[in-house]
Coordinates of all heavy atoms in Angstrom, one line a residue:
M1 N 84.7 95.3 112.6 CA 84.4 95.6 111.2 C 83.7 96.9 111.1 O 84.0 97.7 110.1 CB 83.5 94.6 110.6 CG 83.4 94.6 109.0 SD 85.0 94.7 108.3 CE 85.6 93.0 108.2
K2 N 83.0 97.3 112.1 CA 82.3 98.6 112.1 C 83.4 99.8 112.1 O 83.3 100.7 111.4 CB 81.5 98.7 113.4 CG 80.2 99.6 113.1 CD 79.4 99.8 114.4 CE 78.9 98.5 115.0 NZ 78.4 98.8 116.4
L3 N 84.4 99.5 112.9 CA 85.5 100.5 113.0 C 86.2 100.6 111.7 O 86.6 101.6 111.2 CB 86.4 100.2 114.1 CG 85.9 100.2 115.5 CD1 86.7 99.7 116.6 CD2 85.6 101.7 115.8
A4 N 86.4 99.5 111.1 CA 87.1 99.5 109.7 C 86.4 100.3 108.7 O 86.9 101.1 107.9 CB 87.3 98.0 109.3
M5 N 85.0 100.2 108.8 CA 84.2 100.9 107.8 C 84.3 102.4 108.1 O 84.4 103.2 107.1 CB 82.8 100.4 107.9 CG 82.4 99.0 107.5 SD 82.9 98.7 105.8 CE 81.7 99.6 104.9
V6 N 84.4 102.7 109.3 CA 84.5 104.1 109.7 C 85.8 104.7 109.1 O 85.9 105.7 108.4 CB 84.4 104.3 111.3 CG1 84.9 105.8 111.6 CG2 83.0 104.1 111.7
L7 N 86.9 104.0 109.4 CA 88.2 104.4 108.9 C 88.1 104.5 107.3 O 88.6 105.6 106.8 CB 89.3 103.3 109.1 CG 90.2 103.4 110.3 CD1 91.2 102.3 110.1 CD2 91.0 104.7 110.2
M8 N 87.6 103.6 106.7 CA 87.4 103.6 105.2 C 86.6 104.8 104.8 O 87.1 105.5 103.8 CB 86.9 102.2 104.9 CG 87.0 102.0 103.4 SD 86.3 100.4 103.0 CE 84.6 100.7 103.2
L9 N 85.5 105.0 105.4 CA 84.7 106.0 104.8 C 85.3 107.4 105.1 O 85.0 108.3 104.3 CB 83.3 105.9 105.5 CG 82.5 104.6 105.1 CD1 81.2 104.5 105.8 CD2 82.2 104.6 103.6
V10 N 85.9 107.5 106.3 CA 86.6 108.8 106.5 C 87.7 109.1 105.5 O 87.8 110.1 105.0 CB 87.1 108.9 107.9 CG1 88.0 110.1 108.1 CG2 85.9 108.9 109.0
A11 N 88.5 108.1 105.2 CA 89.7 108.3 104.5 C 89.5 108.2 102.9 O 90.2 108.9 102.2 CB 90.7 107.2 104.8
L12 N 88.6 107.5 102.5 CA 88.4 107.2 101.0 C 88.2 108.5 100.2 O 88.9 108.8 99.2 CB 87.2 106.3 100.7 CG 87.6 104.9 100.5 CD1 86.3 104.0 100.2 CD2 88.5 104.7 99.3
P13 N 87.3 109.3 100.6 CA 87.0 110.5 99.7 C 88.2 111.4 99.7 O 88.5 112.0 98.7 CB 85.8 111.2 100.4 CG 85.2 110.2 101.3 CD 86.4 109.3 101.7
V14 N 88.9 111.6 100.8 CA 90.1 112.4 100.9 C 91.2 111.9 100.0 O 91.6 112.7 99.1 CB 90.7 112.5 102.3 CG1 91.9 113.4 102.3 CG2 89.6 113.0 103.3
Y15 N 91.6 110.7 100.1 CA 92.7 110.2 99.3 C 92.4 109.9 97.9 O 93.2 110.0 97.1 CB 93.4 109.1 100.1 CG 93.9 109.7 101.3 CD1 93.3 109.6 102.5 CD2 95.0 110.6 101.2 CE1 93.8 110.3 103.6 CE2 95.5 111.2 102.2 CZ 94.8 111.2 103.4 OH 95.4 111.9 104.5
C16 N 91.2 109.3 97.7 CA 90.9 108.9 96.3 C 90.6 110.1 95.4 O 90.7 110.0 94.2 CB 89.9 107.8 96.4 SG 90.3 106.4 97.2
S17 N 90.3 111.3 96.0 CA 90.0 112.4 95.2 C 91.1 113.3 95.1 O 91.2 114.3 94.3 CB 88.8 113.2 95.7 OG 89.2 113.8 97.0
A18 N 92.2 113.0 95.9 CA 93.4 113.9 95.8 C 94.4 113.5 94.8 O 95.5 114.0 94.7 CB 94.1 113.8 97.2
G19 N 94.1 112.7 93.9 CA 94.9 112.3 92.8 C 96.1 111.3 93.1 O 96.8 111.0 92.3
S20 N 96.0 110.9 94.4 CA 97.1 109.9 94.7 C 96.5 108.5 94.7 O 97.1 107.6 95.3 CB 97.5 110.2 96.2 OG 96.4 110.2 97.0
G21 N 95.3 108.3 94.2 CA 94.7 107.0 94.0 C 94.5 106.5 95.5 O 94.2 107.4 96.4
C22 N 94.5 105.3 95.8 CA 94.1 104.9 97.1 C 95.3 104.2 97.9 O 95.3 103.6 98.8 CB 93.1 103.7 97.1 SG 91.5 104.4 96.5
S23 N 96.5 104.6 97.4 CA 97.7 104.0 97.9 C 97.9 104.3 99.4 O 98.3 103.5 100.2 CB 99.0 104.2 97.1 OG 99.2 105.6 97.0
Y24 N 97.8 105.5 99.8 CA 97.9 105.9 101.1 C 97.0 105.2 102.0 O 97.3 104.6 103.0 CB 97.7 107.4 101.3 CG 97.9 107.9 102.8 CD1 99.0 108.2 103.3 CD2 96.8 108.0 103.6 CE1 99.2 108.6 104.6 CE2 96.8 108.3 104.9 CZ 98.1 108.7 105.4 OH 98.2 109.1 106.7
L25 N 95.7 105.1 101.6 CA 94.7 104.4 102.4 C 95.1 102.9 102.5 O 95.0 102.3 103.6 CB 93.3 104.5 101.7 CG 92.3 103.7 102.4 CD1 92.0 104.2 103.8 CD2 91.0 103.8 101.5
E26 N 95.6 102.3 101.3 CA 95.8 100.9 101.5 C 97.0 100.7 102.4 O 96.9 99.7 103.2 CB 96.4 100.5 100.0 CG 95.2 100.4 99.1 CD 95.6 99.8 97.7 OE1 96.5 98.9 97.7 OE2 95.2 100.3 96.6
R27 N 98.0 101.6 102.5 CA 99.0 101.4 103.4 C 98.6 101.5 104.8 O 98.9 100.7 105.7 CB 100.2 102.4 103.2 CG 101.5 102.0 103.8 CD 102.7 102.8 103.4 NE 102.4 104.2 103.5 CZ 102.6 105.0 104.5 NH1 103.0 104.4 105.7 NH2 102.3 106.2 104.5
V28 N 97.7 102.5 105.0 CA 97.3 102.7 106.5 C 96.5 101.4 106.9 O 96.6 100.9 107.9 CB 96.4 103.9 106.6 CG1 95.6 104.0 107.9 CG2 97.2 105.2 106.5
I29 N 95.5 100.9 106.0 CA 94.8 99.7 106.4 C 95.7 98.6 106.6 O 95.5 97.8 107.5 CB 93.8 99.4 105.2 CG1 92.8 100.7 105.1 CG2 93.0 98.2 105.4 CD1 91.7 100.7 106.1
S30 N 96.7 98.4 105.7 CA 97.5 97.2 105.8 C 98.4 97.3 107.1 O 98.6 96.4 107.8 CB 98.3 96.9 104.5 OG 99.6 97.2 104.7
D31 N 98.9 98.6 107.4 CA 99.7 98.8 108.6 C 98.8 98.6 109.9 O 99.3 98.1 110.9 CB 100.2 100.1 108.6 CG 101.4 100.4 107.7 OD1 101.8 99.4 107.0 OD2 101.9 101.5 107.7
T32 N 97.6 98.9 109.8 CA 96.7 98.7 110.9 C 96.7 97.3 111.5 O 96.6 97.0 112.6 CB 95.2 99.2 110.5 OG1 95.3 100.5 110.1 CG2 94.3 99.0 111.7
S33 N 96.7 96.3 110.5 CA 96.6 94.9 110.9 C 97.9 94.2 110.8 O 98.0 93.1 111.0 CB 95.5 94.2 110.1 OG 95.7 94.3 108.8
D34 N 99.0 95.0 110.7 CA 100.3 94.3 110.6 C 101.1 94.5 111.9 O 101.5 95.7 112.2 CB 101.1 95.0 109.4 CG 102.4 94.3 109.2 OD1 102.9 93.5 110.1 OD2 103.0 94.7 108.2
S35 N 101.2 93.5 112.7 CA 101.9 93.6 114.0 C 103.4 93.9 114.0 O 104.0 94.3 114.9 CB 101.5 92.4 114.9 OG 102.1 91.2 114.1
S36 N 103.9 93.7 112.7 CA 105.4 94.1 112.6 C 105.6 95.6 112.4 O 106.7 96.1 112.5 CB 106.0 93.3 111.3 OG 105.6 93.9 110.2
V37 N 104.5 96.3 112.3 CA 104.6 97.8 112.2 C 104.5 98.2 113.7 O 103.4 98.1 114.3 CB 103.5 98.5 111.3 CG1 103.6 99.9 111.4 CG2 103.7 97.9 109.9
T38 N 105.5 98.9 114.3 CA 105.4 99.3 115.7 C 104.4 100.5 115.8 O 104.0 101.2 114.9 CB 106.8 99.8 116.2 OG1 107.1 100.9 115.5 CG2 107.8 98.7 116.0
A39 N 103.9 100.5 117.1 CA 102.9 101.6 117.3 C 103.4 103.0 117.0 O 102.7 103.9 116.5 CB 102.5 101.5 118.8
D40 N 104.7 103.2 117.3 CA 105.3 104.5 117.1 C 105.3 104.8 115.5 O 105.1 105.9 115.1 CB 106.7 104.5 117.6 CG 106.7 104.7 119.1 OD1 105.7 105.0 119.6 OD2 107.8 104.5 119.6
V41 N 105.8 103.9 114.7 CA 105.8 104.0 113.3 C 104.4 104.2 112.7 O 104.1 105.1 111.8 CB 106.5 102.7 112.6 CG1 106.3 102.8 111.1 CG2 107.9 102.7 112.9
Y42 N 103.5 103.4 113.3 CA 102.0 103.6 112.8 C 101.5 104.9 113.1 O 101.0 105.6 112.3 CB 101.2 102.5 113.5 CG 99.8 102.5 113.1 CD1 99.3 102.1 111.8 CD2 98.7 102.9 114.0 CE1 98.1 102.1 111.5 CE2 97.4 103.0 113.6 CZ 97.1 102.5 112.3 OH 95.8 102.5 112.0
L43 N 101.7 105.4 114.4 CA 101.3 106.8 114.7 C 102.1 107.9 113.9 O 101.3 108.8 113.5 CB 101.5 107.0 116.2 CG 100.5 106.4 117.1 CD1 101.0 106.4 118.6 CD2 99.2 106.8 117.0
A44 N 103.3 107.7 113.6 CA 104.0 108.6 112.9 C 103.5 108.8 111.5 O 103.4 109.9 110.8 CB 105.5 108.2 112.8
S45 N 103.0 107.6 111.0 CA 102.4 107.7 109.6 C 101.2 108.4 109.5 O 100.7 108.9 108.4 CB 102.2 106.2 109.0 OG 101.2 105.6 109.6
L46 N 100.5 108.6 110.7 CA 99.2 109.3 110.7 C 99.3 110.7 111.3 O 98.3 111.4 111.5 CB 98.2 108.5 111.5 CG 97.8 107.2 110.9 CD1 97.0 106.3 112.0 CD2 97.0 107.3 109.7
Q47 N 100.6 111.0 111.6 CA 100.8 112.2 112.3 C 100.1 113.4 111.8 O 99.6 114.3 112.7 CB 102.4 112.6 112.1 CG 102.9 113.6 113.1 CD 102.8 113.1 114.5 OE1 103.2 112.0 114.9 NE2 102.2 113.9 115.4
E48 N 100.0 113.7 110.6 CA 99.4 115.0 110.1 C 97.9 115.1 110.4 O 97.3 116.1 110.3 CB 99.7 115.3 108.7 CG 99.2 114.2 107.7 CD 99.6 114.6 106.3 OE1 99.1 115.6 105.7 OE2 100.5 113.8 105.7
Y49 N 97.3 113.9 110.7 CA 95.9 113.9 111.1 C 95.6 113.8 112.6 O 94.4 113.6 113.0 CB 95.2 112.7 110.4 CG 95.5 112.7 108.9 CD1 96.6 111.8 108.5 CD2 94.9 113.6 108.1 CE1 96.9 112.0 107.2 CE2 95.4 113.8 106.8 CZ 96.3 112.9 106.3 OH 96.8 113.0 104.9
I50 N 96.7 113.8 113.4 CA 96.5 113.7 114.8 C 96.7 115.1 115.4 O 97.8 115.6 115.4 CB 97.5 112.7 115.4 CG1 97.2 111.3 114.8 CG2 97.4 112.7 116.9 CD1 98.2 110.2 115.2
S51 N 95.7 115.6 116.0 CA 95.8 117.0 116.5 C 95.7 117.0 118.1 O 95.8 118.1 118.6 CB 94.5 117.8 116.0 OG 93.4 117.2 116.2
S52 N 95.5 115.9 118.7 CA 95.4 115.9 120.2 C 95.9 114.6 120.7 O 95.8 113.6 120.1 CB 94.0 116.3 120.6 OG 93.2 115.2 120.3
D53 N 96.1 114.6 122.1 CA 96.5 113.3 122.7 C 95.3 112.4 122.7 O 95.5 111.2 122.7 CB 96.9 113.7 124.2 CG 98.3 114.4 124.3 OD1 98.9 114.4 123.2 OD2 98.6 114.8 125.4
D54 N 94.1 113.0 122.8 CA 92.9 112.2 122.7 C 92.8 111.4 121.5 O 92.5 110.1 121.5 CB 91.6 112.9 122.9 CG 91.4 113.4 124.3 OD1 92.1 112.9 125.2 OD2 90.5 114.3 124.6
T55 N 93.2 112.0 120.4 CA 93.2 111.3 119.1 C 94.2 110.2 119.0 O 94.0 109.1 118.6 CB 93.4 112.4 117.9 OG1 92.4 113.3 118.1 CG2 93.3 111.7 116.5
T56 N 95.4 110.5 119.6 CA 96.4 109.5 119.7 C 96.0 108.3 120.4 O 96.2 107.2 120.0 CB 97.7 110.1 120.3 OG1 98.1 111.3 119.7 CG2 98.9 109.1 120.5
Q57 N 95.4 108.6 121.6 CA 94.9 107.5 122.4 C 93.8 106.7 121.6 O 93.8 105.4 121.7 CB 94.4 108.0 123.8 CG 94.1 107.0 124.8 CD 95.4 106.2 125.2 OE1 96.5 106.7 125.1 NE2 95.3 104.9 125.4
A58 N 92.9 107.4 121.0 CA 91.8 106.6 120.3 C 92.4 105.8 119.2 O 92.0 104.7 119.0 CB 90.9 107.6 119.7
I59 N 93.5 106.3 118.5 CA 94.0 105.5 117.4 C 94.7 104.3 117.9 O 94.7 103.2 117.4 CB 95.0 106.4 116.6 CG1 94.1 107.4 115.8 CG2 95.9 105.6 115.6 CD1 95.0 108.5 115.1
K60 N 95.5 104.5 119.0 CA 96.2 103.4 119.7 C 95.2 102.3 120.1 O 95.4 101.1 119.9 CB 96.8 103.8 121.0 CG 98.2 104.5 120.8 CD 98.9 104.7 122.1 CE 100.2 105.4 122.0 NZ 100.7 105.9 123.3
E61 N 94.1 102.7 120.7 CA 93.0 101.6 121.1 C 92.4 101.0 119.9 O 92.2 99.8 119.9 CB 92.0 102.3 122.0 CG 92.6 102.7 123.4 CD 91.5 103.4 124.3 OE1 90.3 103.3 124.0 OE2 92.0 104.0 125.2
L62 N 92.1 101.8 118.8 CA 91.5 101.2 117.7 C 92.4 100.1 117.2 O 92.1 99.0 116.8 CB 91.3 102.3 116.7 CG 90.9 101.8 115.3 CD1 89.5 101.2 115.4 CD2 90.9 103.0 114.3
R63 N 93.7 100.5 117.0 CA 94.7 99.6 116.4 C 94.9 98.3 117.3 O 95.0 97.2 116.8 CB 96.0 100.3 116.3 CG 97.0 99.3 115.5 CD 98.1 100.0 114.8 NE 98.8 99.2 114.0 CZ 100.1 98.7 114.4 NH1 100.6 99.1 115.5 NH2 100.8 97.9 113.6
E64 N 94.9 98.5 118.6 CA 94.9 97.3 119.5 C 93.8 96.3 119.2 O 93.9 95.0 119.3 CB 95.0 97.7 120.9 CG 96.4 98.2 121.3 CD 96.4 98.9 122.6 OE1 95.5 98.9 123.4 OE2 97.4 99.7 122.9
C65 N 92.6 96.9 118.9 CA 91.4 96.0 118.6 C 91.8 95.2 117.4 O 91.5 94.0 117.3 CB 90.3 96.8 118.2 SG 89.6 97.7 119.7
F66 N 92.5 95.6 116.4 CA 92.9 94.9 115.1 C 93.9 93.9 115.6 O 93.8 92.8 115.1 CB 93.4 95.8 114.1 CG 92.3 96.5 113.3 CD1 91.7 97.7 113.7 CD2 91.9 95.9 112.1 CE1 90.7 98.3 113.0 CE2 90.9 96.5 111.4 CZ 90.3 97.7 111.7
L67 N 94.9 94.4 116.3 CA 96.0 93.4 116.6 C 95.6 92.2 117.5 O 96.4 91.2 117.5 CB 97.3 94.2 117.1 CG 97.8 95.2 116.1 CD1 99.1 95.9 116.8 CD2 98.2 94.7 114.8
K68 N 94.6 92.3 118.1 CA 94.1 91.3 119.0 C 93.3 90.2 118.2 O 93.0 89.1 118.8 CB 93.1 91.7 120.1 CG 93.9 92.4 121.2 CD 92.8 92.9 122.3 CE 93.3 93.9 123.2 NZ 92.3 94.7 123.8
Q69 N 93.1 90.5 117.0 CA 92.2 89.6 116.2 C 93.1 88.3 115.8 O 94.3 88.5 115.8 CB 91.7 90.2 114.9 CG 90.8 91.4 115.2 CD 89.6 91.2 116.1 OE1 88.9 90.2 116.0 NE2 89.6 92.0 117.2
S70 N 92.5 87.2 115.5 CA 93.3 86.1 115.0 C 93.8 86.4 113.6 O 93.3 87.2 112.9 CB 92.3 84.9 114.9 OG 91.3 85.0 113.9
E71 N 94.8 85.6 113.3 CA 95.4 85.7 111.9 C 94.3 85.5 110.8 O 94.3 86.1 109.9 CB 96.5 84.6 111.6 CG 97.8 85.0 112.3 CD 98.3 86.4 111.9 OE1 98.3 86.6 110.8 OE2 98.8 87.2 112.7
E72 N 93.3 84.6 111.1 CA 92.4 84.3 110.0 C 91.4 85.5 109.9 O 91.1 85.9 108.8 CB 91.6 83.1 110.5 CG 90.6 82.6 109.4 CD 89.6 81.5 109.8 OE1 89.7 81.1 111.0 OE2 88.8 81.2 109.0
T73 N 91.0 86.1 111.0 CA 90.2 87.4 110.9 C 90.9 88.4 110.2 O 90.4 89.1 109.3 CB 89.8 87.8 112.4 OG1 89.1 86.8 112.9 CG2 89.0 89.1 112.2
L74 N 92.2 88.6 110.4 CA 93.0 89.7 109.8 C 93.1 89.4 108.3 O 93.1 90.3 107.5 CB 94.4 89.9 110.5 CG 94.3 90.4 111.9 CD1 95.8 90.5 112.4 CD2 93.8 91.9 111.9
E75 N 93.3 88.2 108.0 CA 93.4 87.7 106.6 C 92.1 88.1 105.9 O 92.1 88.5 104.8 CB 93.8 86.2 106.6 CG 93.9 85.7 105.2 CD 95.1 86.4 104.5 OE1 96.1 86.7 105.0 OE2 95.0 86.5 103.2
N76 N 91.0 87.7 106.6 CA 89.7 87.9 105.9 C 89.5 89.5 105.7 O 89.0 90.0 104.8 CB 88.5 87.4 106.8 CG 88.5 85.9 106.5 OD1 89.2 85.2 105.9 ND2 87.5 85.3 107.3
F77 N 90.0 90.3 106.7 CA 89.8 91.7 106.7 C 90.6 92.2 105.4 O 90.2 93.0 104.7 CB 90.3 92.3 108.0 CG 90.6 93.8 107.9 CD1 89.4 94.6 107.8 CD2 91.8 94.3 108.0 CE1 89.7 96.0 107.8 CE2 92.1 95.6 108.0 CZ 91.0 96.5 107.8
S78 N 91.7 91.7 105.3 CA 92.7 92.0 104.2 C 92.0 91.7 102.8 O 92.0 92.6 102.0 CB 94.0 91.4 104.3 OG 94.7 91.5 103.3
V79 N 91.4 90.6 102.8 CA 90.7 90.1 101.6 C 89.6 91.1 101.3 O 89.4 91.6 100.1 CB 90.2 88.6 101.7 CG1 89.3 88.4 100.6 CG2 91.4 87.7 101.7
F80 N 88.8 91.5 102.3 CA 87.7 92.3 102.2 C 88.2 93.7 101.6 O 87.6 94.3 100.8 CB 87.0 92.5 103.6 CG 86.1 93.6 103.5 CD1 84.8 93.6 103.0 CD2 86.4 94.8 104.2 CE1 83.9 94.6 103.1 CE2 85.5 95.9 104.2 CZ 84.2 95.8 103.6
M81 N 89.2 94.2 102.2 CA 89.7 95.5 101.8 C 90.2 95.5 100.3 O 90.0 96.4 99.6 CB 90.9 96.0 102.8 CG 90.4 96.3 104.1 SD 88.9 97.3 104.3 CE 89.5 98.8 103.5
Q82 N 90.9 94.4 100.0 CA 91.3 94.3 98.6 C 90.1 94.3 97.6 O 90.2 95.0 96.5 CB 92.1 93.0 98.4 CG 93.5 92.9 99.0 CD 94.4 94.2 98.6 OE1 94.3 94.6 97.5 NE2 95.2 94.7 99.4
V83 N 89.1 93.6 98.0 CA 87.9 93.6 97.2 C 87.4 95.1 97.1 O 86.9 95.4 95.9 CB 86.9 92.6 97.7 CG1 85.5 92.8 97.1 CG2 87.3 91.1 97.7
T84 N 87.4 95.7 98.2 CA 86.8 97.1 98.2 C 87.7 97.9 97.2 O 87.2 98.7 96.4 CB 86.8 97.6 99.6 OG1 86.2 96.7 100.4 CG2 86.3 99.1 99.6
Y85 N 89.0 97.9 97.3 CA 89.9 98.7 96.5 C 89.7 98.4 95.0 O 89.8 99.3 94.2 CB 91.4 98.4 96.6 CG 91.9 98.6 98.1 CD1 92.8 97.7 98.6 CD2 91.4 99.5 98.9 CE1 93.4 97.9 99.9 CE2 91.8 99.7 100.2 CZ 92.8 98.8 100.7 OH 93.2 99.0 102.0
N86 N 89.4 97.1 94.7 CA 89.3 96.7 93.3 C 87.9 97.0 92.8 O 87.6 96.7 91.6 CB 89.7 95.2 93.1 CG 91.1 95.0 93.5 OD1 91.9 95.9 93.4 ND2 91.4 93.8 93.9
S87 N 87.0 97.4 93.6 CA 85.6 97.6 93.1 C 85.5 98.9 92.5 O 86.3 99.8 92.6 CB 84.7 97.6 94.4 OG 84.7 98.9 95.0
K88 N 84.5 99.1 91.7 CA 84.3 100.3 91.0 C 84.0 101.6 91.9 O 84.2 102.7 91.6 CB 83.1 100.2 90.0 CG 83.3 99.2 88.9 CD 82.2 99.1 88.0 CE 82.6 98.2 86.8 NZ 81.4 97.6 86.1
L89 N 83.6 101.2 93.1 CA 83.3 102.3 94.1 C 84.5 103.1 94.4 O 84.4 104.4 94.4 CB 82.7 101.8 95.4 CG 81.4 101.2 95.4 CD1 81.0 100.6 96.7 CD2 80.3 102.3 95.0
C90 N 85.7 102.5 94.5 CA 86.9 103.3 94.7 C 87.3 104.2 93.5 O 87.6 105.3 93.7 CB 88.0 102.3 95.1 SG 89.4 103.1 95.9
A91 N 87.2 103.6 92.3 CA 87.5 104.4 91.1 C 86.5 105.6 91.0 O 86.9 106.6 90.5 CB 87.4 103.4 89.9
A92 N 85.3 105.4 91.6 CA 84.3 106.5 91.4 C 84.7 107.8 92.2 O 84.3 108.9 91.8 CB 83.0 106.0 91.8
F93 N 85.7 107.6 93.1 CA 86.0 108.8 93.9 C 87.0 109.5 92.9 O 87.6 110.4 93.0 CB 86.7 108.5 95.2 CG 85.7 108.0 96.2 CD1 85.6 106.8 96.6 CD2 84.7 108.9 96.8 CE1 84.7 106.4 97.6 CE2 83.8 108.6 97.7 CZ 83.8 107.3 98.1
Ligands
NAG101 C1 87.2 83.8 107.0 O1 86.5 83.7 105.8 C2 86.1 82.4 105.5 C3 85.6 82.4 104.0 O2 84.6 83.3 103.9 C4 85.1 81.9 106.5 O3 84.7 80.7 106.2 C5 85.6 82.0 107.9 O4 84.7 81.7 108.9 C6 86.2 83.4 108.1 N1 86.9 83.4 109.4 C7 86.9 84.4 110.3 C8 87.6 84.2 111.5 O5 86.0 85.3 110.2

């Protein structure tokens, strides 16, 4: 959950203030915990933010942490993120 918060805090101000709403962030978060999205597709979707092999490796490891969680944990994570998107905090950006 700590990592999720980091992802969220890093990404929210960028995407929610760029006039695109939070849809990019929502997709990244949902892809993060969706095992049907392959690692290659996931990394490709983040391509423009990856500047080194170290970053690629860190993202792979981070995502593996998510994919190892139980379905119930991922479901709870998803619910938590939905609550966050729907909160006034997101609109405030
Ligand atoms: C998921 O959320 C429910 C409801 O808050 C809770 O009872 C349950 O323990 C949570 N499960 C996990 C794996 O975190």
Side-chain angles (χ1 to χ4, degrees):
M1 194 50 79
K2 215 187 298 174
L3 291 171
M5 293 302 287
V6 169
L7 257 187
M8 189 176 77
L9 293 176
V10 166
L12 264 181
V14 178
Y15 293 99
C16 295
S17 67
S20 60
C22 293
S23 58
Y24 177 86
L25 174 64
E26 286 184 40
R27 193 170 52 85
V28 170
I29 297 285
S30 112
D31 286 358
T32 300
S33 56
D34 182 350
S35 58
S36 73
V37 176
T38 66
D40 285 346
V41 168
Y42 182 71
L43 285 168
S45 76
L46 295 169
Q47 196 62 50
E48 62 184 292
Y49 309 100
I50 299 175
S51 54
S52 69
D53 289 348
D54 284 350
T55 307
T56 302
Q57 195 54 37
I59 290 173
K60 278 185 182 167
E61 286 177 17
L62 171 68
R63 184 155 187 259
E64 280 164 19
C65 291
F66 276 86
L67 297 183
K68 278 183 200 156
Q69 305 306 311
S70 68
E71 282 303 315
E72 189 187 356
T73 299
L74 291 176
E75 183 61 32
N76 282 3
F77 168 68
S78 169
V79 169
F80 166 76
M81 293 311 298
Q82 290 303 325
V83 168
T84 305
Y85 302 146
N86 295 335
S87 82
K88 289 182 180 155
L89 286 175
C90 194
F93 288 108

